[in-house]
Amino acid sequence: MRTCDICDAPLGMFKKFRYAEGYICKECYEKASNYFTETIAKKSYGEIRELCERKSELSEDFEITGRIGNYILMDEKNRKVCLLNNRINQKQVSEPEFYSLDWISRCRIDYRPFMSLEELEHKIKAKEAGTIQYLKVLIKLRDGREKQISLFSNPVRIKSFAMKQSFSFAKRIAEEIERLRGESVQV
């Protein structure tokens, strides 16, 4: 039976992932693919091994208990979140960032033009005309830094499916962070 090139775990017919020189298991693929956000098809054995070793150092005490799209992972057990920072959202490739929920002082949804969250939600449901310039979830850290999860940065029509989906993700992210912190969502 074939085994993972990195950890020697047995590979099943449908539980193997191909990279340039062979196959790895799902656990190694998760680490090497930046939590399923990047392809590994053209990576060499050395690159895969390095990514797996580095990821395990970064996320030793992070156990995924929830996920919202390709934006954020949650660990309720250890009270942490992981911002995936994939290139679709950030326009660049960067490492995932891990934060304790105790480091987060505030989480809110930001968009332009400004209106109340209820008004925006009503406009989306009613499929009204108009555009939203950008939509992001802002996470304020206790040290004063602010992290953002950008759902879109170019104008999007309010009545579009993209707006409906992005707004749904933004609400779920903000609500989940605030639920884990034990507070209510802010705009």
Side-chain angles (χ1 to χ4, degrees), residues 112-113 115 120 123-125 127-135 152 154-167:
R112 292 294 177 266
M115 60 190 85
L120 178 57
K123 286 183 175 202
I124 292 169
K125 285 180 182 175
K127 296 184 178 182
E128 289 187 17
T131 60
I132 296 296
Q133 303 303 310
Y134 64 83
L135 176 66
F152 61 81
N154 295 323
V156 172
R157 291 186 335 252
I158 290 174
K159 63 183 179 181
S160 71
F161 182 72
M163 179 64 200
K164 182 179 178 182
Q165 284 297 104
S166 296
F167 184 71

